[in-house]
Amino acid sequence: DAKTTQPPSMDCAEGRAANLPCNHSTISGNEYVYWYRQIHSQGPQYIIHGLKNNETNEMASLIITEDRKSSTLILPHATLRDTAVYYCIVRVLSGNTPLVFGKGTRLSVIA
Amino acid sequence: DAGVIQSPRHEVTEMGQEVTLRCKPISGHNSLFWYRQTMMRGLELLIYFNNNVPIDDSGMPEDRFSAKMPNASFSTLKIQPSEPRDSAVYFCASTDAGLSNQPQHFGDGTRLSIL
């Protein structure tokens, strides 16, 4: 079972920041927070991951609370192409273990 | 660089037929994963390999499903005989397990319809 809780859906106006929350209250000390997204008819795409510090890359920013029980993925300037299902996943930092997907958040970016 | 390549992209066949799905991982990756996605169950792991060796096949639904990885550049997922409830999108993913912070890279999937 997925160890995260996400809202089923969100809307965001094009050009605005999209803030996607995730609760992971049972996260262990050695588990990271990963975010993937799945655009319609495509395979999931890695976005970003972090342990306890905030992270930023060319796609998004990840803000993790100090107690690590929740996090927020931020798309700073959402575009229509960011419409997708976003999955928050907690797992140990090991490449050879599978991902456990929950239901994710369906983000709709509206013009 | 070429990503994970899956074939066919779409497959429609009648129940009882054998179905073979194919995956070519990214060159140099040594872990390969097969996932299945349905509306009811979402994305779920079927089986994964490390260095061509199956590690966990507990997600394979029945004996009708089998997977092989004869070499580092090729894997197959076979369903025999197929049933309508096997209709789903099947994804293959690969990663370099030797580097701890490497994400999994997914193919675009095979959309399977069993009539």
Side-chain angles (χ1 to χ4, degrees):
Chain A
D1 289 343
K3 299 170 64 174
T4 62
T5 303
Q6 300 177 250
S9 64
M10 293 181 62
D11 292 339
C12 178
E14 187 178 22
R16 304 296 294 269
N19 298 296
L20 292 93
C22 179
N23 287 324
H24 32 79
S25 58
T26 61
I27 192 170
S28 300
N30 64 343
E31 288 183 317
Y32 285 66
V33 180
Y34 283 76
W35 283 83
Y36 281 74
R37 74 179 182 183
Q38 186 174 23
I39 296 170
H40 182 62
S41 297
Q42 296 182 20
Q45 175 191 25
Y46 166 79
I47 301 173
I48 198 168
H49 74 278
L51 180 63
K52 56 183 178 180
N53 297 320
N54 298 337
E55 302 287 345
T56 295
N57 63 21
E58 66 278 5
M59 292 182 68
S61 294
L62 174 60
I63 308 298
I64 302 174
T65 58
E66 191 169 345
D67 63 7
R68 302 207 324 121
K69 292 185 177 182
S70 65
S71 60
T72 301
L73 179 75
I74 301 173
L75 308 178
H77 305 286
T79 71
L80 298 179
R81 289 174 295 179
D82 293 320
T83 293
V85 178
Y86 287 77
Y87 296 98
C88 171
I89 300 168
V90 296
R91 65 194 288 259
V92 295
L93 189 67
S94 172
N96 61 353
T97 56
L99 298 168
V100 179
F101 290 87
K103 298 185 186 303
T105 295
R106 182 174 298 277
L107 175 69
S108 298
V109 180
I110 303 167
Chain B
D1 287 343
V4 175
I5 300 172
Q6 293 188 243
S7 63
R9 286 297 311 276
H10 304 273
E11 175 88 12
V12 180
T13 191
E14 294 184 347
M15 66 176 293
Q17 298 297 307
E18 178 179 291
V19 173
T20 299
L21 311 182
R22 298 173 175 79
C23 176
K24 177 178 171 55
I26 292 173
S27 178
H29 283 188
N30 56 3
S31 288
L32 183 141
F33 305 80
W34 283 100
Y35 294 87
R36 178 172 69 174
Q37 186 171 32
T38 62
M39 288 293 292
M40 290 293 293
R41 300 175 65 89
L43 267 162
E44 53 183 353
L45 176 77
L46 297 177
I47 185 172
Y48 75 100
F49 298 81
N50 285 339
N51 296 313
N52 312 337
V53 176
I55 303 300
D56 182 356
D57 65 355
S58 60
M60 298 284 264
E62 300 173 30
D63 291 345
R64 300 183 295 105
F65 285 68
S66 62
K68 294 182 179 179
M69 192 164 187
N71 57 62
S73 59
F74 184 66
S75 177
T76 60
L77 177 67
K78 187 172 293 186
I79 308 173
Q80 167 63 19
S82 58
E83 297 183 2
R85 58 188 166 139
D86 302 331
S87 298
V89 183
Y90 291 79
F91 290 102
C92 176
S94 71
T95 190
D96 183 348
L99 300 173
S100 60
N101 63 348
Q102 292 300 298
Q104 292 184 18
H105 297 266
F106 285 75
D108 282 335
T110 295
R111 183 173 298 274
L112 178 64
S113 297
I114 308 296
L115 307 177

